[in-house]
């Protein structure tokens, strides 16, 4: 493994700022001896304000708008996030794509705005169950990567999260073969699209019902550089266990 492994906790619309603060403080105290894994907390926007974390911990946001400011009720700009100490922003999460109908074009605008602000996008890609069943997985991943990263010249600041939609919040995890197949496809697509960049340095992580029970098997899959964790990141014990498992296994990868 070349890229520093990442474990990112996507809390979605859960936890008040008070809860977020005590969760982060408690987790940090339980992870004092972790320094080989980047740990990213992604609370709702309200949990980002006045939250201070230090290496190897970072703050991430779950979404953003691509404009700097203006009449965009309910939206938030990358400048506002940066001012809160955010380093990462999730883009193209399946709930944004499928519940809020975000298109690859919107996702690409967000990726460009995030990179322009010197923050790091966590670009989520993944096929639905129907798309996998009808043999469209490769085409979907290719489209989401090519369109989502249009006009991006370098992979230097990017995390790609492969998150099959059918595995998110369902308790169904992709098999080792499915994860390894999808990740090597992602690497192939990126190496064609970014022929000048060193793909090995770009973290590609997996998300979809990761728990302390399956984390060891999944992080051992060649090419998996970490996890984007939803449900299991809401509980201190399960989230910190996943981080400790990744920290232990990467030594041997
Ligand atoms: C997610 O929200 O990105 C996710 C992977 O959720 P879960 O771990 O609950 O499947």
């Amino acid at each position: 493994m070349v890229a520093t492994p990442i474990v990112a906790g996507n809390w979605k619309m859960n936890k008040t700022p008070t809860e977020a603060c005590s969760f982060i403080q408690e987790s940090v105290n339980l992870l004092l001896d972790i320094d080989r894994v980047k740990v990213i907390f992604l609370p709702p926007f309200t949990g980002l304000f006045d939250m201070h974390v230090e290496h190897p911990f970072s703050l991430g946001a779950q979404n953003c708008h691509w404009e700097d400011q203006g009449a965009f009720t309910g939206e938030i700009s990358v400048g506002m996030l940066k001012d809160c100490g955010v380093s990462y922003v999730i883009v193209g999460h399946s709930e944004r794509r499928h519940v809020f109908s975000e298109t690859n074009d919107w996702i690409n605008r967000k990726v460009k705005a995030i990179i322009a602000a010197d923050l790091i996008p966590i670009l989520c890609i993944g096929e639905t169950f129907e798309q996998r069943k009808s043999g469209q997985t490769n085409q979907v991943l290719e489209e989401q990567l090519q369109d989502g990263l249009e006009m991006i010249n370098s992979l230097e600041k990017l995390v790609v999260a492969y998150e099959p939609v059918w595995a998110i919040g369902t308790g169904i995890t992709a098999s080792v073969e499915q994860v390894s197949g999808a990740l090597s496809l992602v690497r192939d697509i990126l190496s064609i699209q970014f022929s000048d960049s060193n793909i090995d340095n770009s973290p590609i992580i997996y998300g979809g019902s990761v728990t302390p029970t399956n984390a060891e098997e999944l992080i051992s899959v060649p090419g998996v550089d970490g996890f984007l964790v939803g449900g299991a990141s809401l509980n201190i014990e399960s989230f910190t266990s996943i981080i400790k498992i990744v920290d232990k296994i990467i030594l041997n990868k």
Side-chain angles (χ1 to χ4, degrees):
M1 183 183 293
V2 178
T4 306
I6 290 174
V7 179
N10 174 18
W11 295 356
K12 313 192 187 197
M13 197 173 71
N14 291 288
K15 297 194 191 295
T16 63
T18 312
E19 290 165 344
C21 190
S22 54
F23 187 104
I24 291 177
Q25 272 172 5
E26 268 185 66
S27 307
V28 168
N29 286 337
L30 290 171
L31 296 168
L32 290 176
D33 50 353
I34 299 288
D35 66 357
R36 292 178 298 225
V37 181
K38 277 186 201 165
V39 179
I40 309 170
F41 297 101
L42 296 127
F45 296 139
T46 50
L48 293 166
F49 182 68
D50 215 14
M51 189 76 72
H52 302 282
V53 294
E54 286 173 13
H55 172 85
F57 305 96
S58 303
L59 286 179
Q62 299 172 22
N63 187 24
C64 68
H65 196 275
W66 57 84
E67 293 289 350
D68 291 340
Q69 58 189 35
F72 302 103
T73 303
E75 293 292 328
I76 195 157
S77 74
V78 285
M80 294 167 189
L81 296 173
K82 198 170 174 176
D83 195 61
C84 289
V86 161
S87 310
Y88 294 84
V89 186
I90 293 181
V91 209
H93 189 277
S94 75
E95 285 144 24
R96 302 296 320 173
R97 290 180 189 268
H98 298 289
V99 182
F100 297 99
S101 306
E102 290 199 4
T103 61
N104 281 327
D105 171 52
W106 280 26
I107 289 162
N108 177 244
R109 291 178 199 219
K110 293 180 185 203
V111 169
K112 287 192 274 197
I114 295 163
I115 291 177
D118 212 18
L119 303 183
I120 302 178
I122 302 176
L123 173 63
C124 299
I125 57 168
E127 79 287 358
T128 62
F129 181 65
E130 290 70 30
Q131 289 165 334
R132 177 164 280 272
K133 236 178 37 185
S134 58
Q136 294 176 71
T137 301
N138 292 9
Q139 186 197 328
V140 170
L141 298 184
E142 199 168 336
E143 251 171 44
Q144 290 178 342
L145 280 173
Q146 283 175 350
D147 296 355
L149 297 175
E150 204 181 309
M151 310 282 286
I152 302 298
N153 302 321
S154 157
L155 279 182
E156 215 176 296
K157 290 211 157 179
L158 176 75
V159 178
V160 174
Y162 169 59
E163 297 211 302
V165 179
W166 45 272
I168 297 180
T170 57
I172 302 168
T173 317
S175 68
V176 165
E177 293 72 29
Q178 287 167 329
V179 175
S180 120
L183 264 58
S184 68
L185 176 74
V186 169
R187 285 209 161 74
D188 288 348
I189 298 166
L190 291 177
S191 55
I192 295 169
Q193 206 172 341
F194 297 91
S195 47
D196 295 342
S197 299
N198 185 354
I199 304 299
D200 293 339
N201 291 335
S202 308
I204 304 180
I205 61 179
Y206 167 78
S209 299
V210 174
T211 65
T213 312
N214 57 32
E216 180 158 346
E217 183 179 43
L218 289 165
I219 197 64
S220 306
V221 176
V224 174
D225 295 323
F227 299 130
L228 181 53
V229 187
S233 73
L234 294 173
N235 175 284
I236 293 187
E237 204 182 310
S238 55
F239 189 52
T240 54
S241 302
I242 293 170
I243 295 161
K244 287 178 185 174
I245 291 167
V246 171
D247 186 60
K248 183 184 81 180
I249 298 296
I250 49 140
L251 261 188
N252 306 316
K253 257 189 123 177

